[in-house]
Amino acid sequence: MQNHVPPSDEEFWARVAAEGAPLVDPDPDDPAYRLVTFVHRDEPAGDPPDAVLALLHTVTDRDRHADDLAPHLMRRRPGGWSHTYRLRADHRASYQLYPVRGAVPGTARADWLRVLDGARPDPLARGPQLPARDGRRPSSVLSLPDAPAQPYARRRAGVPRGRTLAAEVAGRRVDVHLPAGAGAGDGPLPVLVLLDGEMWGEVLAVGDTLDNLAADRAIPPTTTLLVHTMGPGRPEDLNCNPGFVDLLADRLLPWAAAEHGTALAPDRTVVAGQSAGGLTAAFAAFRRPDRFGNALCQSGSFWWPDGTEFDAGSEWLTRQFAAEQRREARFWVEVGLQEWMLLTQNRHLRDVLVARGYDVEYREFNGGHDYACWRGGLADGLIHLLGSPEREVRPAGA
């Protein structure tokens, strides 16, 4: 390793001004890693904070669960603060900064909610932000050079735009994204049932991703049913609830077929979700393969239940797949390497599905429980499950 002379503070801040933040440098000991320096610059006319906490999605959460935020407190330097992480070169994560006034916050839930309410995006970051809901501020996004490309995530100029309609089905709010140019003579279109639809539609503008995919013929024109599931009833709906899945199968899909001409064929239907929604997507394919022939499961909560609320013990759904007759269903399953509470259980589900002869595509990405990762994985999963034989792929980009 060569001797390294640290830059002066003037050189440091000049580089930040030129490149933006965070600063990314090679790891001199391992080309598979990068040294990533997050910074916070003090306001010239304001009082500096007493500390600055870096909130690197899932990475900081893991230490919070261990009651130790010290690894994420920035170091004071003239003019501001900085903190360097050693991260693998394929890491992607949303992040925020939290200027601390007074004592460093605790790790209890109430303290942490106050941190999340006060955290803000990195004002020195150059890239697009990840929007938030519930009145919170957006996040900045770190995408290191070897992170999976996300060529469909952002709105593109010149792409025909679909349209989104609001509806209510069986007392449930559903937003329907119709692909551009779809007409009555096109025949029944494939259908995507996307859980947590209010996040994907209203906040993350997933219609842009769907329009990009269709424009590139990466998937055929597809009608998307954005089912709202983030309200008070979410814990009941998204816990392998037969009633909820039957509602999707027997009320929502027939309604979409009658109202919007969608297909009722299971091989042309995808159900997709993240976290508890990922668990529910897999359960839908298990319970109702007559309707759901494709399940797109991102960071699924396959630990469910934890053994205290349900007398059958943990990983209930995985054990059902192992014990019951094989269903006619295909799976896209992905999970983040930083998801210490989910990684083992997702690997176990993969092993069981493969052993039972299911068609399963499995991926581990270097990130966390994070929409910054999921929005790219959603597009990749749809291409795998619905991909058009006429696919025309644009050059990959970040």
Side-chain angles (χ1 to χ4, degrees):
M1 176 174 157
Q2 298 178 343
N3 292 330
H4 175 67
V5 178
S8 67
D9 289 305
E10 291 79 8
E11 292 171 327
F12 176 84
W13 290 116
R15 183 183 171 196
V16 171
E19 299 180 17
L23 301 176
V24 179
D25 294 293
D27 182 338
D29 297 324
D30 190 338
Y33 284 79
R34 297 292 185 272
L35 302 179
V36 183
T37 301
F38 294 86
V39 301
H40 179 277
R41 185 127 206 202
D42 291 337
E43 297 289 341
D47 293 329
D50 298 298
V52 178
L53 181 64
L55 307 180
L56 187 61
H57 205 299
T58 306
V59 175
T60 303
D61 297 277
R62 182 169 189 167
D63 287 322
R64 181 184 73 84
H65 280 270
D67 294 322
D68 184 14
L69 292 176
H72 307 283
L73 288 170
M74 290 188 169
R75 177 177 65 87
R76 191 76 172 96
R77 64 187 307 148
W81 309 74
S82 67
H83 183 70
T84 299
Y85 290 91
R86 181 177 182 267
L87 300 172
R88 216 169 71 177
D90 58 351
H91 199 117
R92 175 177 281 119
S94 60
Y95 73 95
Q96 294 178 306
L97 304 177
Y98 179 68
V100 178
R101 304 287 178 178
V104 174
T107 58
R109 177 175 171 78
D111 293 328
W112 196 245
L113 289 176
R114 284 192 290 272
V115 169
L116 296 179
D117 288 340
R120 67 184 194 183
D122 184 349
L124 299 172
R126 299 282 176 87
Q129 295 179 344
L130 183 73
R133 67 190 297 266
D134 297 330
R136 288 182 174 153
R137 297 178 179 89
S139 298
S140 302
V141 178
L142 168 72
S143 294
L144 291 183
D146 295 340
Q150 294 186 345
Y152 299 102
R154 301 175 190 169
R155 175 175 283 236
R156 297 179 189 160
V159 168
R161 307 249 63 90
R163 57 195 179 102
T164 301
L165 310 174
E168 185 174 298
V169 181
R172 303 276 177 156
R173 170 71 184 273
V174 179
D175 296 323
V176 182
H177 183 79
L178 301 172
D186 295 331
L189 298 183
V191 60
L192 165 64
V193 177
L194 183 54
L195 305 175
D196 293 339
E198 62 268 57
M199 182 67 187
W200 281 105
E202 297 171 0
V203 180
L204 296 176
V206 73
D208 293 339
T209 294
L210 299 167
D211 294 339
N212 292 338
L213 287 167
D216 282 6
R217 299 183 184 176
I219 64 172
T222 298
T223 298
T224 299
L225 309 178
L226 297 147
V227 184
H228 288 220
T229 52
M230 299 190 80
R234 189 175 196 271
E236 181 179 354
D237 287 341
L238 304 187
N239 67 353
C240 296
N241 183 335
F244 177 71
V245 167
D246 289 346
L247 181 148
L248 299 178
D250 297 330
R251 301 289 298 278
L252 178 64
L253 289 179
W255 172 86
E259 191 74 16
H260 297 291
T262 58
L264 273 176
D267 64 329
R268 302 182 70 200
T269 303
V270 178
V271 56
Q274 302 72 39
S275 192
L279 170 74
T280 300
F283 178 65
F286 174 80
R287 177 171 174 81
R288 296 300 303 270
D290 61 312
R291 289 288 197 231
F292 300 106
N294 300 279
L296 200 164
C297 311
Q298 298 181 279
S299 303
S301 300
F302 295 115
W303 54 263
W304 182 89
D306 61 11
T308 60
E309 301 176 358
F310 192 69
D311 61 8
S314 64
E315 294 189 75
W316 176 84
L317 182 57
T318 300
R319 289 185 287 108
Q320 302 311 301
F321 277 113
E324 296 288 335
Q325 179 180 352
R326 181 184 174 278
R327 272 64 170 164
E328 290 299 325
R330 302 169 64 222
F331 294 85
W332 168 279
V333 179
E334 68 170 11
V335 65
L337 290 172
Q338 307 302 321
E339 298 189 86
W340 78 101
M341 298 177 73
L342 295 174
L343 184 57
T344 298
Q345 293 85 351
N346 274 262
R347 287 173 174 173
H348 186 202
L349 175 72
R350 170 204 61 193
D351 293 344
V352 166
L353 292 176
V354 170
R356 294 305 311 276
Y358 282 96
D359 181 341
V360 54
E361 183 73 15
Y362 178 81
R363 183 173 78 173
E364 294 177 357
F365 55 87
N366 191 11
H369 210 67
D370 192 345
Y371 283 101
C373 301
W374 292 336
R375 61 184 178 180
L378 179 69
D380 293 342
L382 291 174
I383 291 170
H384 177 76
L385 295 171
L386 289 177
S388 167
E390 302 177 21
R391 181 182 174 193
E392 297 176 359
V393 182
R394 291 172 62 97

